[in-house]
């Protein structure tokens, strides 16, 4: 009995191993293969904008400094001591045409005028005397001979000399009057005093620069454009078009409307730019008092928008949507098309495209890295029931929901 128990006890481990080996083989033979899942890259979701063709004026940006169209140096034409200086004859003073600015001492010029008047009166008296002598000579010659008298016998050379002397004295009188008038310095046009270079009591000579005057009727702005920009003007030689000027005054943006009146017609050798000249009427608002407008002061730096020619079939897009002259178009079946476009104009914010996009087409406003032609995408906000894309993930989700319903 003990011998039998000993054999069973020793065979038990071997039996257990055989049982476990059989069970393991049974499990291996009967196990099911795990369900295989496919790991596919997710379809990107993009936001789109629908484009529309428009008829636009291709405006041209530029910049410049405001200056006066008419400016002059106030220069003396006579000499003397300054006896009077107007209170408006200071930097920033606004004056009207013909207004008195300064007065030069007049006593010497008044004396010259009186002397010229006396000389003219004397010349006229001598002329009358010579005419009378000529009449006497004519009568004497007729009584003496009765023939044709010579010019010398009638004192005609002497008469012409006295007539010339009268004209000479008349010119001297006119000069004396002008010199007396020139002692009063007057504004040649409505304007603003840019600078004054003399003071009361100062002695000035011929050609002394008294100051500088800027006209306030018209302001000018030279606006540079590239040579290629000229293609967007209605006329290159006569660019008569509107321009809007803007600047910040007192912390607020202000705009003025002007007119392009001419092109300078040459390319600047230093910066290779062509300059257009814009005019703004009444920049200091002297003729029209508008409480809602501020004056366009000389020396202001302004930005300009020049109205260009009108072009049809233009699509305007933000600049960030165009990369290397291409845009990402989302087709009707939600696939990507990398399309090259014809850019006719760009500015700081937008790109203007012609003959490349149709009205109603969609452009992706979402940046897609490594996008390729034909790549499928989902459009943000698009109804899934109307979507033409059936993704693997969506199919798995539908099967799961169906199995839950069956249970």
């Amino acid at each position: 009995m003990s011998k039998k128990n000993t054999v069973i006890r020793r065979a038990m481990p071997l039996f257990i191993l055989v049982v476990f080996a059989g069970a393991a083989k049974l499990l291996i033979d009967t196990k099911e293969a795990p369900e295989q899942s496919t790991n596919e890259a997710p379809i990107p979701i993009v936001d789109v904008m629908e484009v529309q063709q428009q008829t636009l004026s291709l405006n041209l940006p530029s910049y410049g400094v405001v200056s006066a169209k008419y400016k002059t140096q106030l220069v003396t034409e006579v000499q003397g001591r300054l006896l009077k200086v107007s209170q408006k004859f200071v930097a920033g003073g606004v004056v009207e045409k013909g207004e008195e600015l300064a007065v030069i001492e007049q006593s010497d010029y008044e004396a010259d005028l009186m002397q010229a008047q006396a000389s003219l009166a004397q010349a006229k008296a001598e002329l009358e005397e010579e005419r009378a002598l000529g009449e006497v000579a004519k009568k004497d010659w007729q009584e003496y001979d009765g023939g044709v008298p010579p010019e010398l016998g009638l004192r005609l050379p002497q008469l012409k000399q006295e007539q010339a002397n009268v004209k000479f004295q008349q010119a001297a009188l006119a000069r004396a009057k002008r010199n007396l008038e020139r002692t009063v310095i007057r504004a040649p046009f409505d304007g603003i005093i840019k600078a004054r270079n003399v003071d009361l009591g100062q002695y000035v000579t011929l050609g002394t620069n008294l100051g500088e005057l800027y006209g306030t009727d018209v302001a000018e702005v030279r606006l540079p454009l590239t040579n290629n920009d000229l293609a967007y003007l209605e006329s290159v030689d006569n660019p008569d078009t509107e321009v809007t000027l803007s600047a910040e005054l007192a912390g607020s943006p202000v705009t003025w409307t002007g007119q392009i009146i001419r092109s300078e017609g040459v390319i600047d050798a230093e910066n290779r730019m062509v300059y257009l000249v814009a005019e703004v009427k009444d920049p200091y608002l002297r003729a029209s008092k508008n409480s809602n407008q501020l004056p366009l002061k000389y020396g202001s730096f302004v930005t300009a928008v020049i109205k260009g020619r009108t072009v049809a079939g233009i699509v305007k897009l933000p600049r960030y949507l165009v990369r290397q002259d291409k845009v990402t178009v989302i087709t009707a079946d939600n696939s990507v098309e990398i399309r090259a476009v014809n850019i006719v104009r760009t500015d700081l914010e937008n790109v203007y495209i012609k003959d490349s996009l149709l009205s109603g087409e969609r452009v992706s406003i979402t940046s897609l890295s490594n996008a390729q032609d034909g790549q499928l995408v989902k459009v943000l906000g698009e109804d899934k029931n109307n979507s033409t894309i059936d993704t693997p993930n969506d199919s798995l989700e539908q099967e799961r929901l169906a199995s839950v319903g069956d249970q």
Side-chain angles (χ1 to χ4, degrees), residues 60 62-64 220-226 229-230 233 235-243 259-266 273-279 306-307:
L60 306 174
S62 189
Y63 56 89
E220 280 191 347
V221 186
R222 295 177 71 236
L223 302 173
L225 291 178
T226 64
D229 287 339
L230 298 179
L233 295 175
S235 173
V236 177
D237 297 327
N238 186 25
D240 185 9
T241 186
E242 187 177 287
V243 60
Q259 197 75 14
I260 300 294
I261 59 166
R262 70 179 188 275
S263 169
E264 293 189 353
V266 295
M273 303 289 265
V274 178
Y275 284 86
L276 302 184
V277 179
E279 277 191 359
I306 303 170
K307 184 178 180 181

Side-chain angles (χ1 to χ4, degrees), residues 165-240:
N165 189 36
V166 169
K167 290 183 179 180
F168 177 82
Q169 297 302 332
Q170 287 174 339
L173 177 61
R175 186 182 300 108
K177 288 181 178 179
R178 288 196 302 270
N179 286 339
L180 183 59
E181 292 173 354
R182 289 167 178 169
T183 59
V184 180
I185 311 300
R186 300 184 184 276
F189 44 73
D190 294 345
I192 182 171
I193 303 298
K194 173 65 169 58
R196 192 188 79 190
N197 304 325
V198 292
D199 291 314
L200 185 65
Q202 182 175 340
Y203 186 87
V204 295
T205 59
L206 291 176
T208 299
N209 186 353
L210 302 179
E212 191 172 5
L213 177 67
Y214 286 179
T216 53
D217 289 340
V218 182
E220 280 191 347
V221 186
R222 295 177 71 236
L223 302 173
L225 291 178
T226 64
N227 196 30
N228 292 335
D229 287 339
L230 298 179
Y232 304 108
L233 295 175
E234 293 290 351
S235 173
V236 177
D237 297 327
N238 186 25
D240 185 9

Side-chain angles (χ1 to χ4, degrees), residues 14 35 37 83 95 110 292 333 404:
L14 181 61
E35 184 179 354
S37 61
L83 296 183
V95 297
E110 290 173 344
N292 296 325
D333 61 354
V404 172

Side-chain angles (χ1 to χ4, degrees), residues 130-143:
E130 191 58 45
R131 283 176 177 169
L133 291 174
E135 290 295 328
V136 171
K138 183 177 180 181
K139 289 181 180 180
D140 290 344
W141 186 267
Q142 289 176 350
E143 293 175 357

